[in-house]
Amino acid sequence: MKLVFASNNKHKIAEIQNMLPEAIQIISLSAIGCYEDIPETADTIEGNAILKADYVTKNFGYDCFADDSGLEVNALGGAPGVYSARYAGEHKNDGDNIEKLLLELNGVSNRKANFKTVIALNYQGKQYVFTGIADGEIMRERRGNLGFGYDPVFVPAGYDQTFAEMAQQEKAQISHRGKATKELINFLTK
Amino acid sequence: MKLVFASNNKHKIAEIQNMLPEAIQIISLSAIGCYEDIPETADTIEGNAILKADYVTKNFGYDCFADDSGLEVNALGGAPGVYSARYAGEHKNDGDNIEKLLLELNGVSNRKANFKTVIALNYQGKQYVFTGIADGEIMRERRGNLGFGYDPVFVPAGYDQTFAEMAQQEKAQISHRGKATKELINFLTK
């Protein structure tokens, strides 16, 4: 059975393939001839994951899963959330986004935040979602150079290191993406 | 070390005590002489968990954790959420709440929903939150008589049974409350 992962990241695809039985073959967007930018115009993290999965299923006819992630900061009412990747503007980078976040939280003592990943899965005519949450807090300055996005300023609850100071495997055990992926794998291997 | 669980449910207290080393002693509200109703007036699930934990820490001086849970239905914009226990009104019961939910979702094909538990922990001068999510969908009629709340109409993704048809131990493995509790235990035993 072929299942499209709405991504072209070979590493992510291989990682998930390795957790599944051979009968489920994970294929990339390019493998099905989908080269266009898939719209991510929803106003929630879950909405974007669903948009992406539905785009592939409707236009290419494959069962598919897609993910979207964001950082939700309590003192900012859940912002940047679905806008995490473009918090500082459309053509800004991770560093700009972190800078804006630290500025918004300047002098704010409530640093609680969570990362959220939602995976939407279209499978045998039905749609499912799987949500992973990593709770933690926002540091006052960057630490570490692994990972990406807001990892250098996010410390998960109960840890001293930021996500950017953790080895990939350690982070995957406790991260939002790792947890949502585990739910997906549990579902597909049941 | 004494840690208050803002609850008087002996079963829940014993269950968590059993997962912790003896050095951490879980005590109930009545054990510290707290017999009043703790306010739950926040407008989010997380807010209520924090209110309860803070009430105990501020008024009784103990480290404390408290939980709050709710059902978030996608097609209802996340309702009933923090109002899950009183969805049909202040003095209504689980059956009334389920009846209202099924009525609101009458003819609605998007049945996706998730249960969420947030545990707020005040511990050694800092506050932490732990979030557990169970994704699934709302049935069109009740099934099963175990559990409580909306369990009879909630089927977790990848399962055929409702939460109300699952043995307690099976439900705890995949439930929102089970996941949040696991995060708390991981934190306290690290």
Side-chain angles (χ1 to χ4, degrees):
Chain A
M1 192 264 296
K2 283 180 170 31
L3 181 62
V4 175
F5 181 11
S7 168
N8 280 315
N9 183 321
K10 280 179 194 171
H11 174 74
K12 281 167 83 175
I13 289 170
E15 195 176 65
I16 288 185
Q17 181 69 71
N18 287 337
M19 292 189 268
L20 288 169
E22 278 178 34
I24 302 175
Q25 193 191 343
I26 302 297
I27 55 180
S28 67
L29 288 173
S30 54
I32 59 165
C34 174
Y35 298 106
E36 58 263 45
D37 282 338
I38 300 181
E40 300 189 48
T41 51
D43 59 3
T44 61
I45 293 168
E46 178 178 49
N48 269 345
I50 290 174
L51 265 187
K52 285 190 275 187
D54 282 353
Y55 185 93
V56 170
T57 299
K58 283 179 187 153
N59 292 293
F60 295 86
Y62 283 97
D63 280 354
C64 175
F65 65 92
D67 63 352
D68 196 46
S69 299
L71 176 71
E72 299 176 325
V73 179
N74 293 32
L76 303 177
V82 69
Y83 305 108
S84 294
R86 45 200 150 118
Y87 189 39
E90 278 299 334
H91 299 287
K92 303 291 187 160
N93 61 26
D94 287 350
D96 299 320
N97 289 332
I98 288 176
E99 193 174 316
K100 176 166 178 181
L101 178 66
L102 292 181
L103 207 62
E104 295 282 345
L105 290 178
N106 192 14
V108 176
S109 61
N110 174 6
R111 315 292 295 189
K112 285 200 284 290
N114 65 268
F115 272 121
K116 179 195 276 188
T117 292
V118 177
I119 296 175
L121 169 69
N122 292 328
Y123 189 72
Q124 300 181 343
K126 279 198 66 172
Q127 185 166 76
Y128 305 87
V129 298
F130 306 96
T131 310
I133 302 268
D135 295 292
E137 57 183 12
I138 305 298
M139 298 290 94
R140 287 183 165 73
E141 47 195 37
R142 296 165 175 78
R143 285 205 328 251
N145 47 26
L146 305 171
F148 60 95
Y150 298 89
D151 284 357
V153 291
F154 182 84
V155 172
Y159 291 79
D160 298 318
Q161 294 178 304
T162 68
F163 267 170
E165 293 175 311
M166 288 185 188
Q168 195 178 330
Q169 215 160 358
E170 186 187 6
K171 179 185 160 193
Q173 297 289 327
I174 57 170
S175 79
H176 47 307
R177 188 172 288 99
K179 288 176 182 171
T181 302
K182 191 177 154 206
E183 300 283 329
L184 173 74
I185 300 295
N186 285 349
F187 174 87
L188 291 171
T189 54
K190 254 181 74 81
Chain B
M1 192 263 296
K2 283 180 170 31
L3 181 62
V4 175
F5 180 11
S7 169
N8 279 316
N9 183 320
K10 281 181 191 168
H11 176 74
K12 282 166 83 175
I13 290 171
E15 194 177 67
I16 288 186
Q17 181 68 70
N18 287 337
M19 293 188 268
L20 288 170
E22 278 178 35
I24 303 176
Q25 191 193 342
I26 302 297
I27 55 179
S28 66
L29 288 173
S30 54
I32 59 166
C34 174
Y35 297 106
E36 58 261 46
D37 281 338
I38 300 181
E40 300 190 49
T41 51
D43 59 3
T44 61
I45 293 167
E46 179 178 48
N48 269 345
I50 289 173
L51 265 188
K52 286 188 275 186
D54 282 354
Y55 185 91
V56 170
T57 299
K58 284 178 187 154
N59 293 294
F60 295 85
Y62 283 97
D63 279 355
C64 176
F65 65 93
D67 62 353
D68 197 46
S69 299
L71 176 71
E72 299 177 325
V73 179
N74 293 33
L76 304 177
V82 69
Y83 305 107
S84 293
R86 46 200 149 121
Y87 190 37
E90 278 300 332
H91 299 287
K92 303 290 188 164
N93 62 26
D94 288 350
D96 300 321
N97 290 331
I98 288 178
E99 193 175 315
K100 176 167 178 181
L101 178 67
L102 293 181
L103 204 64
E104 295 282 345
L105 290 176
N106 192 15
V108 177
S109 61
N110 175 6
R111 314 291 297 188
K112 286 201 283 291
N114 66 267
F115 272 120
K116 179 195 276 189
T117 292
V118 177
I119 295 174
L121 169 69
N122 292 329
Y123 189 72
Q124 299 180 345
K126 279 199 65 173
Q127 185 166 76
Y128 305 87
V129 297
F130 305 96
T131 311
I133 301 270
D135 295 292
E137 57 184 13
I138 304 298
M139 297 293 93
R140 286 182 168 73
E141 47 195 38
R142 297 164 175 81
R143 284 206 328 251
N145 47 25
L146 305 172
F148 61 95
Y150 298 88
D151 284 358
V153 291
F154 183 85
V155 172
Y159 291 78
D160 299 317
Q161 295 177 306
T162 67
F163 268 170
E165 293 175 310
M166 288 185 186
Q168 195 178 333
Q169 214 161 0
E170 186 186 7
K171 180 186 160 193
Q173 297 290 324
I174 58 171
S175 78
H176 47 308
R177 188 171 288 102
K179 288 175 181 172
T181 302
K182 192 176 153 205
E183 300 284 329
L184 172 74
I185 300 293
N186 285 348
F187 174 88
L188 291 171
T189 53
K190 255 180 73 82

